[in-house]
Amino acid sequence: MPEDADETSETLDVRESQGPESAPPPTTSGPRFSGRSYESILYVTSEISDFVKAGGLGDVSAALPRALRGLYDVRVLIPGYRSVLADVGPLEIVGRLEGTCGIPACDLGRTETKDGLTIYVLLSPELYDREGTPYGDANGVDWSDNDVRFARLGLAAADIACGVGDPSWRPDLLHLNDWPSSLAPAYLTWREHHVPSILTIHNLAYQGLFERERLSHLGIPDGAFQMDGVEFYGKLSFLKAGIFYASHITTVSSTYAEEITTPEFGCGLDGLLKTRAEEGRLDGIVNGIDESWDPATDPYLASAFAPDDWRGKDKNASEVRKTFGLAVSRGPLFAVISRLVHQKGVDLAISAAEEIVSNGGQIVVTGRGEARFEAAVRALAARHPGSVGVRIGFDEAEARRMYAGSDFLLMPSRFEPCGLSQMYAQRFGSLPIAHRTGGLADTIEDGVTGFLFRELSLTSFVEAIKRGLETFRSQPQMTAMRKAAMSRPQGWHLSANKYRDVYSRVIQTAVPG
C-alpha cells in the first residue's frame, strides 16, 4: 500500500488522527547506561504490516526493527487489535499493567514471529477488539475513545521502560512512532523516571488532538497543560507532548526535517521543532525498502527481469495494459499508485493527463481516497478509453506489477515526509516524476534516477513530464536512467546504521536513573 497520508490543505491543516536487509554484526563495545551494556530497544508502534497496516508506518515498523536486530535486542510493542490477535502466534502472558484514572488495566502478551522478532501485545479487548482500522471503523470514522486507546499504548511503553510488564526484560531506550505512542516520554517525565526516548515523526500533519477536559481522564497533570508541555492552541496534543518530552526527534528524510522547522510545513509546531534542531535534537533519516522489492525474484510479477534484460519488464507492461483495458502500445506507460487525496497532488496528475495522452502515452491509476478524486479519475478514463485505466482500491500484487510494467511513476505530492512509492518504482526500473519536497528530494537524483520539479504548479509538473517523454524517445538514455535507478542503494541497513548513531548520541547524553 502507498505510504499513508490523508488530505491536507496547502498550509497543512492539522488532523486529529492518522493514516529486511541484513545488518552488520553487533559491536562488542559501545555506550553504557545505568551500569550495563546498552543493547535493548522497545519499538512502539500503532501498526506493523506483519499483522495490521494502514499505511507506510506499518511497512517501516516491520522492516526497521528487523534491520536493527544485528545491533540490538529490539522488541516491538503493538496494541492487540482484532486483526493482530487473529494472526499472531501463541501468546504468553508475561505481566499485568495497572491502569490509572480513565485508562484501564491490561495484560501484556509476548510472542515471536516466524523469523524470531519478539512482539509484545497489549491485551485490552474493551479498547482494541473491534472491526476496522487501528484508528477508526470500517467507514473511516475515528474511534471516539482514541485518546484512551493510545494513552494506554504510551503508558504501557512507560511501564515496560520502568521494569513493569515483562520481569525478564527491560529496555534501555524507547523508540516511539507518531502521535499514538507520543505520551510515553511524558508519562516517564511525570514519574521522574529518566529513560531515554526517540520519537520518529512520519507525518507531522497528524497530531492526535483532544479536548482539554480529557487531561484528568488520561492521568495528565494539570500543570502540563501549558506551552512548555502538552497544550496546543487550547487542546491536548499527543504529538506535541512527544516532541517536548522525548530525548530526541527523528523524521523520515533530511529535507523534511528542515521543512518542518518552517511555518509552511510545521503545522503550528515549527517553533518547537526549530528549537529542537538548534539543540541538535532533530535528525532526518530516510526510510529504506525491504529485500522483497527485487524484480528478479518477486513472485507477484508477471515475469522477472533485471537491468540487463528488459523482456520481463515488457511482459509486465503488457499484463498491466490488459488488466486496465488499455490498447496495445509501444508508447510510454505512466502509473499513479497513491491515495487519491489532495496532499498527493492527484489534481495535478489529472490535469497533466492530457499532455501525456496527446504525446502517445498511457496512464494507469490505482488507489482510493476522497470521493471527488475517485470520481475525477473515473471521468478521466471515460474521456480517454484505451489510454487511461483506473481501478479504485488497492491490491498489493497488482501494484507491484504496475511498478514493474510502467516507465514512469507520477508523484506530484504537495509534501512527502519520506515516500516509499518512488523507491519501489526505482527498484523496478520505473522513473519517478516528482515534486522536489521532503523525501522525494532526498531519494531522486534529477535527470539520473528520476525527474524533479521545483515549483508546485501544473506548468512545472508538465515540464518535468516532457523531459521524461524526451528521455523515453532516447533508448540509450532511458536504459542508463533505469539502470541507475535500480542500482540506487535503498536497503534498510543504511538507515539502521544511522539510527545506531542517533541511539549512541542519545544514550551518552541521557540522565542516569
Side-chain angles (χ1 to χ4, degrees), residues 327-354:
V328 176
S329 172
R330 291 184 178 275
L333 182 61
F334 292 75
V336 176
I337 306 169
S338 170
R339 296 199 66 190
L340 304 179
V341 295
H342 183 72
Q343 181 245 315
K344 296 294 185 180
V346 178
D347 53 322
L348 290 174
I350 293 170
S351 297
E354 303 298 334

Side-chain angles (χ1 to χ4, degrees), residues 444-510:
I444 301 170
E445 187 177 356
D446 188 36
V448 179
T449 61
F451 301 93
L452 294 172
F453 63 98
R454 185 177 296 276
E455 180 185 345
L456 188 61
S457 69
L458 179 59
T459 299
S460 185
F461 184 32
V462 168
E463 284 301 316
I465 290 172
K466 288 180 177 178
R467 291 169 59 206
L469 290 167
E470 183 179 352
T471 298
F472 182 82
R473 297 184 188 106
S474 171
Q475 185 173 345
Q477 185 179 357
M478 187 70 180
T479 297
M481 288 189 67
R482 278 177 170 169
K483 287 183 175 180
M486 293 178 73
S487 63
R488 180 185 172 274
Q490 297 175 330
W492 270 106
H493 64 284
L494 301 173
S495 301
N497 284 329
K498 291 182 180 180
Y499 276 109
R500 178 177 60 178
D501 292 340
V502 172
Y503 293 165
S504 297
R505 281 190 279 131
V506 170
I507 205 68
Q508 286 169 1
T509 58

Side-chain angles (χ1 to χ4, degrees), residues 38-281:
Y38 171 61
E39 58 183 10
S40 302
I41 299 167
L42 181 65
Y43 190 92
V44 188
T45 182
S46 54
E47 52 185 274
I48 180 171
S49 61
D50 295 65
F51 310 114
V52 59
K53 170 181 165 181
L57 174 60
D59 291 326
V60 173
S61 298
L64 180 56
R66 289 179 162 95
L68 288 166
R69 280 191 298 177
L71 303 168
Y72 304 102
D73 177 4
V74 184
R75 305 185 184 191
V76 176
L77 175 65
I78 183 80
Y81 310 118
R82 181 174 296 179
S83 58
V84 172
L85 298 182
D87 293 338
V88 78
L91 280 171
E92 176 189 3
I93 305 302
V94 294
R96 178 76 173 171
L97 304 176
E98 297 302 322
T100 183
C101 302
I103 301 174
C106 68
D107 289 328
L108 183 67
R110 184 178 64 197
T111 188
E112 284 191 358
T113 60
K114 291 180 179 180
D115 63 343
L117 180 64
T118 299
I119 307 289
Y120 289 108
V121 181
L122 286 182
L123 301 174
S124 180
E126 63 185 289
L127 296 181
Y128 306 124
D129 187 12
R130 306 171 186 180
E131 197 65 37
T133 75
Y135 316 106
D137 62 24
N139 296 317
V141 178
D142 292 348
W143 300 117
S144 61
D145 60 347
N146 268 347
D147 57 341
V148 178
R149 297 173 75 240
F150 294 113
R152 176 65 275 181
L153 177 62
L155 184 61
D159 286 339
I160 296 170
C162 293
V164 178
D166 185 346
S168 67
W169 188 83
R170 178 177 176 177
D172 298 298
L173 178 141
L174 298 181
H175 189 153
L176 314 165
N177 292 274
D178 279 345
W179 74 265
S181 56
S182 285
L183 283 187
Y187 284 127
L188 285 170
T189 299
W190 299 328
R191 293 178 176 183
E192 298 185 353
H193 281 272
H194 303 293
V195 180
S197 58
I198 291 173
L199 170 64
T200 297
I201 300 172
H202 298 263
N203 193 332
L204 190 66
Y206 299 90
Q207 295 194 9
L209 297 178
F210 302 96
E211 299 301 325
R212 176 178 184 171
E213 289 72 27
R214 302 297 289 172
L215 291 177
S216 60
H217 198 72
L218 303 178
I220 299 175
D222 289 337
F225 194 76
Q226 57 174 306
M227 183 174 68
D228 291 337
V230 304
E231 186 270 338
F232 182 79
Y233 293 96
K235 289 194 172 185
L236 158 65
S237 169
F238 277 42
L239 187 62
K240 183 184 177 184
I243 295 170
F244 184 80
Y245 291 107
S247 309
H248 199 89
I249 311 300
T250 66
T251 190
V252 288
S253 71
S254 297
T255 297
Y256 191 61
E258 296 173 1
E259 289 176 340
I260 61 177
T261 64
T262 67
E264 181 181 2
F265 293 96
C267 300
L269 290 168
D270 49 285
L272 176 57
L273 288 163
K274 186 175 182 180
T275 297
R276 290 293 176 265
E278 291 170 347
E279 294 169 341
R281 296 168 59 190

